[in-house]
Amino acid sequence: MAKQSRKKTGQTKATGPKPVSKKAEQSPSLVTQAYEEIKERILMLHFLPGQYLNEAAICSNLNLGRTPVHLALQRLQVEGLVEILPRKGIVVQPDSFAQIIKILDSRLTVEPELARGAARRAKMGGVDPSVLERLKSLATATDPKQNPPDIAAFTVNDRRFHQEVALLSGNTEMSEFARRLHERSTRFWYLNLWQTIDVKTSNRQHAAIAQAVLAGDEDAAAQQMREHIQAVRDRLEKIQHNSPNALRRPSDPFGPLVSPPQ
């Protein structure tokens, strides 16, 4: 009789919040969120090259469980941005001068072909005109009159422009490879090339690439992209030659999420 009474009055045993299941923790959306947020902190130098990261602190900072953060770090290790060291922790991979030159040499091989592919698709009518207009707009999105230049706006717009060219090519595999290379280059901008940013020159070079793509001129698109990346490479070598110590890593201003090796 008592059981029936409790059922009728709706009195049930109180329960607390349900714990997040392992399956939910491993959902692609959470892993992707962790991957994107950690990667952005690495690229924007919130996590500096050579620093040891504390996984538990990252989880707390991102308000995510250990599983998506751990899987995201494994993906970042594959991409060369971090290294997971047994019994020591996670270290943000530094890029030496020699490494960044190799990255730029790889970009010199890959990105001109993506620009060529983008121009080919535009010529064949395989690209929506609005997408081509967006590329043209991205080419000169950074304000050249701002002094000093806004490095955050410059790097974001630069990444968007190169990504848009890659996507327009229709070659998803090569585009993904180019994305990884370009992101590594972005971090080097923040570390060492911020004082050499020439927004006017970059805008002009981007505009030339966009114009060639819009015109469907495959050879010109490839050549303009090659000259654009080569200019960055030449600038880097000039800095290294004239002032070898200019490419040293800055001191560490961040402490809360960093843990030294034990």
Side-chain angles (χ1 to χ4, degrees):
M1 191 73 175
K3 289 183 179 179
Q4 291 177 349
S5 175
R6 280 196 297 268
K7 187 175 181 179
K8 288 180 180 179
T9 57
Q11 294 177 358
T12 58
K13 184 179 180 180
T15 59
K18 294 182 179 180
V20 178
S21 68
K22 201 73 171 177
K23 184 176 181 180
E25 270 203 343
Q26 294 178 358
S27 69
S29 60
L30 289 179
V31 176
T32 299
Q33 179 186 342
Y35 163 78
E36 292 292 348
E37 294 196 25
I38 298 170
K39 181 182 69 176
E40 200 67 14
R41 282 164 171 75
I42 292 172
L43 296 181
M44 300 304 168
L45 301 186
H46 183 77
F47 300 151
L48 289 173
Q51 287 187 327
Y52 282 79
L53 306 180
N54 183 295
E55 189 171 298
I58 295 175
C59 294
S60 176
N61 182 259
L62 300 183
N63 196 28
L64 290 171
R66 182 179 180 277
T67 299
V69 168
H70 187 72
L71 292 175
L73 288 169
Q74 289 181 329
R75 180 176 171 184
L76 290 166
Q77 179 172 237
V78 171
E79 295 188 5
L81 288 175
V82 304
E83 183 178 3
I84 301 174
L85 302 174
R87 297 183 298 278
K88 288 187 177 181
I90 305 103
V91 64
V92 179
Q93 286 282 56
D95 283 326
S96 65
F97 173 76
Q99 285 173 320
I100 201 65
I101 287 295
K102 290 178 181 178
I103 288 170
L104 289 171
D105 285 343
S106 298
R107 288 183 61 190
L108 278 168
T109 300
V110 173
E111 292 196 54
E113 291 309 307
L114 289 171
R116 184 187 300 278
R120 184 183 305 119
R121 288 189 66 219
K123 180 172 59 178
M124 296 172 62
V127 181
D128 188 285
S130 65
V131 176
L132 294 175
E133 284 302 312
R134 182 168 69 244
L135 177 68
K136 185 177 178 181
S137 177
L138 282 172
T140 56
T142 306
D143 183 2
K145 296 180 181 178
Q146 188 166 351
N147 189 23
D150 185 339
I151 184 173
F154 175 86
T155 53
V156 167
N157 291 331
D158 188 58
R159 283 167 64 186
R160 287 175 178 170
F161 177 79
H162 284 267
Q163 184 178 29
E164 193 69 35
V165 173
L167 293 174
L168 285 173
S169 74
N171 189 329
T172 55
E173 295 298 325
M174 192 179 287
S175 296
E176 176 63 17
F177 181 52
R179 178 189 65 78
R180 297 181 188 182
L181 293 172
H182 194 269
E183 287 176 348
R184 293 277 291 275
S185 298
T186 295
R187 184 170 60 155
F188 212 77
W189 272 110
Y190 272 91
L191 276 170
N192 301 301
L193 298 180
W194 58 269
Q195 73 273 36
T196 72
I197 288 177
D198 185 341
V199 176
K200 288 183 179 179
T201 298
S202 181
N203 283 357
R204 186 180 69 251
Q205 292 169 345
H206 282 175
I209 296 167
Q211 182 178 353
V213 170
L214 267 65
D217 191 333
E218 299 177 37
D219 290 340
Q223 181 61 26
Q224 292 295 341
M225 180 65 81
R226 187 176 296 108
E227 290 178 1
H228 172 53
I229 300 172
Q230 184 66 49
V232 176
R233 191 187 190 284
D234 292 344
R235 193 183 319 167
L236 181 60
E237 288 198 315
K238 184 177 180 180
I239 293 173
Q240 175 70 1
H241 177 74
N242 293 338
S243 182
N245 291 330
L247 300 181
R248 291 184 302 179
R249 179 162 54 89
S251 59
D252 172 15
F254 303 106
L257 297 180
V258 178
S259 174
Q262 300 300 316

